[in-house]
């Protein structure tokens, strides 16, 4: 076994690898970019080296610098995690030349699967079933559209060199093909440096089921059963589970045998995943092979009781696989939810910012959290916006779903927008409970997953009000303690009024509400508590309670409430019964002024690079008109007109880096 390994990655996967290495007594070396100097994976490692500035190509993709760090730190092996260099054949070959073990497959296997087109040919020769399509080298538009016509619409365009859903386009008809092809090639070139595409028949309600495989250098190869990864957004996985619902032993054996055949066909070694698309009849077709450890590997670990990173290390060190196929067993059911900094209500737009508060469920045999983020850390625009992976296990699927719902209710993040609420609705969706799964699950269940915004309930307002009232009481005690006359009414902040009942009026604003929508709570001081007037309640309610840190226990009439209230400036985030309510404490003396309501400009929601400008100065546009395309956080984002108007000056060119908050162009809004 190795004495020292270098982990050539960041975030939760780097921390995940280090935890296993530490358990095995292996010294770990971290690498980091300049903005990651204070990151969790850096703190966990035995030693850490800076490898460059923020841009991944100058740091986490800097092959020469990483190899140099491995030599300098006496690392015997490099674990690439996933992403970045994990499927880079040049890096695997560079490790071999430098005498450093690459903890992954040989460069030849990465090369074989690196091109989706070449991979399809290898799989076809190995007898692995394929989706009908075109995987050839002819890439002119006329040839490609002719093949699409032959295959039959809808078709799926995919970058041949890529993965992770980047660049993929569904084309419903011939009229859409050229625009989709241009977008696919543009994004493929930006993400992978290669704009070659392939075409496949688009299966309308498919399931995405993948098989975990493992092979050693002694000729042994096994599969560790399947994972269902059908719930996706933007062709990227959101919630995964193992085993796949409704999988029969016969079908599992067939898919497992096909996956092992695929691995053997390319002389595979170490951990890999063979991904299949499964149609409504249960027929499965090879999609691609990911020559690395997968983000969702924990669900396989939970149902098998195995540590796949330990297997990786042992195989890379020359050992045989720890188990034979006959020794492997499935125990129970596991689910993994990927918690991202993103806004599901805005097309899952990634979010950036600093996490000011982070609460999570306690870890146990049933609940596991893989993360590289702590309270106070920032989600930057340079890397993937994943905050954590929440993994649960139980004896069957229904129990695992219930456990996931409870765990998500205890996951609390303040400081930026997350998908936690969306995940909770997803786990509670009747269609998910019934295992009505396909890759269009989110689109098919829009009403359930994206309900209209609900009014803030009385209970959340009461809890937020209690937090303010207790804060006032604490301030009152401090003031009285400092004053020369502790009995002077002018030193009191408890709502004292001359000739009036002691009371406080506390106003909150919810979300994007305007001043006229303020929710005002009037609290009258009473012995041992308060009597409150809540908006729309129709009567006064008694309120009293206690505080322990950010957790409040309140009695609202006869009902006991327990939740969390986090104050950040004027913002109040209330977590109650697993739901997050974001309120703004209103300053009655603050006013907003708009000196030029007829003019408008656009700024990107995050830093990025302009990849296409779709309008020209002087163009008249309607609300929702696409204006520009930006690349940020590895994805393309289209910026739309927020209102009707005329395009003024365009302030950034294609290829230029745009900082967050900078104006992209000027929009002279049409008069109302």
């Amino acid at each position: 076994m190795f004495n020292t390994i270098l982990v050539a990655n960041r975030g939760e996967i780097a921390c995940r690898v280090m935890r296993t290495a530490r358990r095995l007594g292996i010294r770990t070396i971290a690498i980091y970019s300049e903005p990651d100097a204070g990151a969790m994976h850096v703190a966990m490692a035995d030693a850490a080296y800076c490898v460059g500035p923020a841009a991944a190509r100058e740091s986490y993709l800097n092959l020469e610098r990483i190899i140099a760090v491995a030599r300098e730190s006496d690392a015997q092996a490099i674990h690439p995690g996933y992403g970045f260099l994990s499927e880079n054949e040049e890096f695997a070959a560079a490790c071999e030349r430098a005498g450093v073990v690459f903890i992954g497959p040989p460069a030849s296997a990465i090369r074989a699967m690196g091109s989706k087109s070449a991979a399809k040919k290898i799989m076809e020769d190995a007898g692995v079933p394929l989706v009908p399509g075109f995987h050839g080298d002819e890439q002119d538009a006329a040839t490609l559209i002719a093949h699409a016509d032959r295959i039959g619409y809808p078709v799926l365009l995919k970058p041949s060199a890529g993965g992770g859903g980047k660049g993929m386009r569904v084309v419903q008809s011939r009229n859409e093909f050229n625009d989709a092809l241009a977008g696919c090639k543009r994004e493929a070139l930006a993400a992978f440096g290669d704009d070659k595409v392939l075409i496949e028949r688009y299966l309308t309600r498919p399931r995405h089921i993948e098989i975990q495989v493992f092979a050693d250098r002694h000729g042994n190869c096994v599969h560790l059963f399947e994972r269902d990864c059908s719930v996706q957004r933007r062709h990227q996985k959101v919630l995964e589970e193992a085993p796949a619902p409704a999988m029969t032993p016969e079908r599992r054996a067939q898919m497992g045998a096909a996956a092992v055949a695929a691995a053997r066909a390319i002389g595979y070694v170490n951990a890999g995943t063979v991904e299949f698309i499964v149609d409504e009849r249960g027929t499965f077709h090879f999609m691609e092979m990911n020559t690395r450890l997968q983000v969702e590997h924990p669900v396989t670990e939970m149902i098998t009781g195995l540590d796949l990173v330990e297997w990786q290390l042992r195989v890379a060190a020359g050992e045989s696989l720890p188990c034979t196929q006959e020794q492997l067993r499935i125990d129970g059911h596991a689910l993994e939810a990927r918690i991202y900094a993103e806004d599901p209500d805005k097309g899952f737009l990634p979010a950036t910012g600093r996490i000011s508060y982070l609460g999570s469920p306690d870890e146990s045999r049933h609940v596991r959290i893989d993360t590289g983020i702590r309270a106070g850390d920032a989600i930057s625009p340079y890397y993937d916006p994943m905050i954590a992976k929440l993994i649960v296990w139980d004896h069957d699927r229904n129990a695992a779903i219930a456990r996931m719902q409870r765990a998500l209710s205890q996951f609390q993040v303040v400081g930026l927008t997350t998908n936690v609420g969306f995940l909770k609705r997803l786990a509670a969706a009747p269609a998910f409970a019934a295992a009505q799964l396909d890759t269009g699950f989110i689109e098919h269940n829009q009403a359930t997953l994206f309900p209209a915004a609900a009014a803030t309930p009385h209970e959340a307002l009461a809890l937020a009000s209690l937090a303010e009232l207790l804060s006032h009481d604490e301030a009152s005690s401090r003031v009285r303690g400092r004053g020369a006359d502790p009995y002077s009414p002018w030193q009191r902040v408890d709502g004292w009024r001359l000739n009036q009942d002691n009371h406080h009026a506390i106003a909150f604003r919810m979300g994007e509400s305007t001043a006229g929508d303020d929710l005002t709570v009037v609290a009258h001081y009473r012995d041992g508590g308060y009597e409150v007037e809540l908006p729309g309640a129709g009567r006064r309610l008694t309120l009293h309670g206690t505080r322990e840190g950010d957790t409040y226990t309140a009695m609202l009439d006869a009902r006991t409430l327990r939740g969390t209230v986090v104050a950040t400036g004027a913002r109040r985030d209330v977590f109650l019964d697993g739901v997050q309510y974001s309120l703004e404490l209103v300053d009655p003396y603050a006013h907003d002024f708009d000196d030029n309501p007829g003019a408008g400009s656009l700024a990107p929601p995050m830093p990025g690079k302009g990849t296409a400008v779709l309008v020209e100065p002087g163009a008249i546009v309607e609300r929702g008109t696409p204006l520009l395309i930006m690349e940020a956080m590895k994805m393309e984002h289209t910026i739309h007109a927020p209102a009707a108007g005329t395009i003024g000056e365009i302030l950034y060119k294609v290829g230029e880096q745009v900082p967050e908050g900078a104006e992209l162009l000027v929009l002279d809004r049409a008069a109302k």
Side-chain angles (χ1 to χ4, degrees):
M1 182 53 74
F2 308 112
N3 295 320
T4 303
I5 65 169
L6 183 149
V7 184
N9 217 296
R10 64 180 301 279
E12 59 88 12
I13 183 55
C15 296
R16 161 73 189 90
V17 172
M18 290 175 188
R19 280 194 293 273
T20 291
R22 178 178 295 173
R23 180 174 61 79
L24 297 175
I26 299 171
R27 179 171 172 261
T28 56
I29 308 299
I31 60 170
Y32 63 93
S33 64
E34 291 169 0
D36 271 349
M40 184 173 169
H41 76 280
V42 175
M44 282 188 66
D46 294 294
Y49 293 75
C50 182
V51 289
R57 64 181 176 276
E58 300 176 39
S59 52
Y60 294 107
L61 292 172
N62 188 335
L63 277 63
E64 294 79 9
R65 175 62 179 143
I66 293 171
I67 295 290
V69 168
R71 286 172 165 164
E72 185 179 348
S73 63
D74 295 324
Q76 299 156 297
I78 295 178
H79 194 301
Y82 43 71
F84 290 136
L85 297 172
S86 62
E87 295 182 285
N88 187 307
E89 63 169 291
E90 182 182 349
F91 183 62
C95 289
E96 185 176 351
R97 290 193 300 270
V100 179
V101 175
F102 179 77
I103 302 173
S108 58
I110 298 175
R111 184 182 311 114
M113 292 294 103
S115 166
K116 287 187 172 63
S117 298
K120 301 282 185 181
K121 182 65 171 65
I122 294 172
M123 294 303 106
E124 187 175 35
D125 293 342
V128 179
L130 303 179
V131 178
F134 171 72
H135 319 116
D137 294 328
E138 301 87 348
Q139 291 289 301
D140 61 281
T143 298
L144 292 173
I145 201 168
H147 281 288
D149 291 344
R150 172 185 58 80
I151 295 165
Y153 297 94
V155 298
L156 183 65
L157 293 177
K158 301 168 69 173
S160 179
K166 298 177 184 67
M168 289 171 59
R169 299 288 193 278
V170 177
V171 186
Q172 298 289 349
S173 68
R174 196 178 206 271
N175 293 336
E176 301 175 10
F177 190 88
N178 286 332
D179 287 344
L181 178 63
C184 181
K185 283 182 168 289
R186 181 175 59 244
E187 196 169 341
L189 189 63
F192 312 115
D194 184 348
D195 70 351
K196 186 178 178 182
V197 304
L198 57 83
I199 309 172
E200 291 178 349
R201 177 179 296 161
Y202 183 69
L203 305 180
T204 54
R205 295 189 74 100
R207 288 172 67 184
H208 183 149
I209 297 178
E210 61 190 27
I211 304 290
Q212 176 74 62
V213 295
F214 234 106
D216 61 25
R217 299 186 183 277
H218 307 284
N220 303 305
C221 185
V222 300
H223 70 84
L224 290 89
F225 315 113
E226 78 283 353
R227 300 184 285 255
D228 194 311
C229 307
S230 300
V231 182
Q232 304 178 2
R233 53 95 171 100
R234 294 197 310 249
H235 303 293
Q236 291 184 317
K237 302 159 190 173
V238 175
L239 194 150
E240 302 97 352
E241 59 183 302
M247 176 67 74
T248 65
E250 295 76 19
R251 182 58 51 78
R252 177 175 293 123
Q254 291 169 0
M255 295 184 72
V260 168
R264 290 190 182 281
I266 58 171
Y268 200 79
V269 174
N270 218 280
T273 306
V274 182
E275 305 202 4
F276 295 97
I277 200 82
V278 182
D279 64 24
E280 293 179 271
R281 296 173 299 175
T283 305
F284 61 93
H285 311 274
F286 173 85
M287 281 201 305
E288 61 186 2
M289 183 175 185
N290 289 309
T291 52
R292 54 177 165 80
L293 196 67
Q294 291 279 89
V295 179
E296 58 274 19
H297 77 273
V299 294
T300 296
E301 294 183 323
M302 296 291 263
I303 65 166
T304 60
L306 302 172
D307 183 333
L308 297 192
V309 173
E310 179 179 348
W311 275 39
Q312 285 193 294
L313 295 172
R314 293 194 180 282
V315 167
E319 297 182 23
S320 297
L321 292 179
C323 295
T324 65
Q325 190 69 61
E326 292 71 28
Q327 292 173 313
L328 294 167
R329 295 287 184 273
I330 294 175
D331 178 23
H333 201 94
L335 299 168
E336 175 181 297
R338 302 188 189 191
I339 296 174
Y340 280 99
E342 64 182 13
D343 189 344
D345 291 327
K346 295 182 179 177
F348 297 95
L349 183 72
T352 59
R354 191 167 299 279
I355 296 176
S356 57
Y357 179 89
L358 181 61
S360 59
D362 294 332
E363 293 196 67
S364 66
R365 178 195 176 200
H366 294 273
V367 178
R368 167 178 164 180
I369 300 170
D370 283 11
T371 186
I373 296 292
R374 303 155 298 187
D377 289 347
I379 301 295
S380 78
Y382 304 110
Y383 314 116
D384 190 90
M386 182 186 289
I387 296 172
K389 299 185 310 195
L390 176 62
I391 309 104
V392 302
W393 175 91
D394 219 307
H395 295 288
D396 59 43
R397 187 172 188 267
N398 289 339
I401 291 174
R403 195 170 289 279
M404 175 61 79
Q405 292 175 21
R406 289 193 296 274
L408 284 167
S409 295
Q410 297 168 344
F411 215 103
Q412 303 171 348
V413 183
V414 174
L416 37 68
T417 304
T418 75
N419 66 341
V420 172
F422 169 80
L423 290 170
K424 190 166 182 289
R425 294 191 295 273
L426 196 159
F432 185 75
Q436 296 171 358
L437 306 178
D438 63 77
T439 56
F441 181 89
I442 292 175
E443 289 74 16
H444 302 325
N445 293 275
Q446 290 279 317
T448 300
L449 302 179
F450 299 95
T456 305
H458 293 158
E459 293 81 0
L461 286 174
L463 210 61
S465 300
L466 177 66
E468 297 306 310
L469 292 166
L470 293 181
S471 178
H472 279 298
D473 290 348
E474 292 169 3
S476 177
S477 298
R478 290 194 298 270
V479 169
R480 284 197 299 270
R482 291 196 302 265
D485 180 4
Y487 301 104
S488 169
W490 309 113
Q491 296 210 50
R492 297 169 63 182
V493 290
D494 61 358
W496 178 81
R497 300 286 190 279
L498 182 64
N499 297 325
Q500 290 188 38
D501 182 32
N502 286 13
H503 68 272
H504 263 301
I506 308 169
F508 298 101
R509 194 167 296 159
M510 182 180 178
E512 300 178 357
S513 300
T514 61
D517 298 322
D518 291 351
L519 304 170
T520 301
V521 178
V522 179
H524 303 267
Y525 283 76
R526 299 289 182 261
D527 288 340
Y530 315 92
E531 197 172 62
V532 294
E533 301 173 41
L534 297 170
R539 63 185 180 89
R540 292 186 181 184
L541 305 172
T542 59
L543 173 68
H544 61 90
T546 59
R547 168 187 176 181
E548 183 178 345
D550 295 308
T551 301
Y552 293 81
T553 301
M555 285 294 296
L556 184 63
D557 274 2
R559 181 177 176 187
T560 300
L561 309 174
R562 185 175 176 84
T564 301
V565 182
V566 180
T568 311
R571 177 169 168 155
R572 301 293 184 268
D573 284 276
V574 181
F575 297 90
L576 180 64
D577 296 332
V579 180
Q580 180 176 2
Y581 303 94
S582 295
L583 305 169
E584 181 185 354
L585 185 64
V586 177
D587 180 353
Y589 301 105
H591 298 277
D592 293 325
F593 298 94
D594 187 352
D595 295 328
N596 187 10
S601 62
L602 285 88
M606 67 190 74
K609 182 175 68 176
T611 58
V613 178
L614 308 178
V615 292
E616 296 181 353
I620 298 174
V621 298
E622 299 297 323
R623 176 183 173 88
T625 300
L627 305 178
L628 309 99
I629 297 175
M630 289 188 61
E631 180 191 341
M633 290 194 167
K634 307 179 185 177
M635 299 295 295
E636 282 195 348
H637 306 278
T638 302
I639 309 299
H640 298 86
T646 304
I647 300 298
E649 184 181 2
I650 297 173
L651 303 172
Y652 283 88
K653 299 177 182 177
V654 171
E656 288 186 333
Q657 194 69 25
V658 183
E660 183 177 359
E663 293 185 351
L664 291 163
L665 55 78
V666 175
L667 175 67
D668 295 321
R669 302 185 187 222
K672 295 182 180 180

